[in-house]
Amino acid sequence: MATMQHQVFPYVTKFSRSCLVAAGFGTPLEALLLTLTTGVPLAGAFLMGAGSLGLVYVHLLTFDYLRSMGYSNVEVISHRVFEALPPLRYLIYTPTYLSLHHREKDSNFCLFMPLFDLLGGTLNSKSWELQKEIYQGKNDRVPEFVFLVHVVDIMSSMHVPFVLRSISSVPFENHLILLPFWPVALVYGLLMWCCSKTFLVSFYYLRGRLHQTWSVPRHGFQYFIPAAKAGINRQIELAILRADRMGVKVLSLAALNKNEALNGGGTLFVDKHPDLRVRVVHGNTLTAAVILNEIPSNTKEVFLTGATSKLGRAIALYLCRKKIRVVMLTMSSERFLKIQREAPAEFQQYLVQVTKYQAAQNCKTWLVGKWLSPREQRWAPPGTHFHQFVVPPIIGFRRDCTYGKLAAMRLPKDVQGLGSCEYSMERGVVHACHAGGVVHFLEGWEHHEVGALDVDRIDVVWKAALKHGLTPV
């Protein structure tokens, strides 16, 4: 995870906000001075007869790149480059160089050429040694919780904070302005597939603890390519092992990273590395709790698709204990009977297998764990509400029915530093499996939450989530 190794923000937490504010706001006078600063060298080149259109583009792009790099909060240039070419350190500044200015406010005033600070006697002597320490990861603050995601698709890859900060701060949607950049994002996606490792996407603080989101450099469609599965599992395994070495307390697997067919909901890694100190969780116990608590208390019957999946099984077993009739759509009698036998004998009668959607034409509560086409949705009676735990969510074709969103929870009010949205949800709202990992961490539970869901823990996890200030959306 080379990108994570070179991060600066754990060191500059107390003063990085001023950097970010300065990067996004400026007075008219500052804009005028920047224009003069940029234009004077160009004017000089043209007066000497050496100007050209190409020079203008190269100069402006270089100027903006160096300025943006300083505010990026990520060390891009290795300390070895400065050690090999000492004069270069007086021509290019680093995020650490700028951060020292914002922290101590008495040095490192130059925009991106430390030479002038050297000549003016305002160069901070700690700049290069500190930059070396940060590049080597010696000043990194270790996260205590990590949410391990993956890239959903090409368009969503352009919504991450380090690509377009303004777009990442609003829920995901397909902006037309991004279409011209689609080929570029595709090329980067292919490069990631070839040579990238898990990287840091975003972070926030909850009760003073650092929480990070890491991403496996794979797109959603790649998880369905048989030949890609071993490589994906290897990426996930490396992320878990790195988190374990760093001292991360809990790592929560998102979306397809915990796919049952891929790694048994995380079981593969826990079985392979029995001495892991980091707790690996899939967070689906809270996902089940969120879905179950959306169902009205007076419900007597539900129709369940994706009935034999990890979530479907847990939901069915929970509801039958409440004496709610669960009509389970599955073609596999063997898998149905296996789930039915898990239920206490007195509740087994509430689990019913069906093989056609027509069987639910009188049921107004549908729990959707499998994609529904318009033709399949037509069997639902008017007034049906579709509760969803299928990814991607189904499209609402019926105007006489209502559609729930994916299971999610709002983080506690004391969360700090949230600068982006998690996929299609508003700021501060995260997927239930993300929230489930947070609860696991806040409670200090020592067990791994992998594989099949423990139905007996659904209520326990739900109460713990509410206790810690997480709220349903």
Side-chain angles (χ1 to χ4, degrees), residues 48-70:
M48 290 187 296
S52 67
L53 185 61
L55 177 65
V56 173
Y57 278 107
V58 170
H59 177 75
L60 291 177
L61 288 174
T62 303
F63 185 96
D64 268 353
Y65 175 80
L66 291 173
R67 184 167 179 257
S68 298
M69 185 181 69

Side-chain angles (χ1 to χ4, degrees), residues 193 218 221-235 261-262:
W193 192 356
R218 296 293 184 271
F221 74 89
Q222 293 170 300
Y223 284 74
F224 300 99
I225 302 174
K229 289 185 178 180
I232 292 172
N233 274 332
R234 181 59 179 160
Q235 290 281 348
L262 183 68

Side-chain angles (χ1 to χ4, degrees), residues 142-145 241-250 277-278:
V142 175
E144 297 189 61
F145 170 79
L241 293 177
R242 180 172 175 81
D244 191 60
R245 290 194 302 270
M246 292 172 65
V248 175
K249 300 293 194 303
V250 173
R277 291 172 299 170
V278 62

Side-chain angles (χ1 to χ4, degrees), residues 159 167-173 175 421 423-427:
H159 282 250
I167 290 182
S168 73
S169 64
V170 296
F172 170 77
E173 58 184 60
H175 295 276
C421 294
Y423 198 48
S424 60
M425 296 172 291
E426 62 181 287
R427 188 92 57 90

Side-chain angles (χ1 to χ4, degrees), residues 87-103:
L88 195 61
R89 64 181 60 179
Y90 300 109
L91 301 178
I92 301 176
Y93 81 160
T94 66
T96 304
Y97 186 91
L98 179 63
S99 296
L100 278 170
H101 162 72
H102 283 277
R103 187 184 72 170

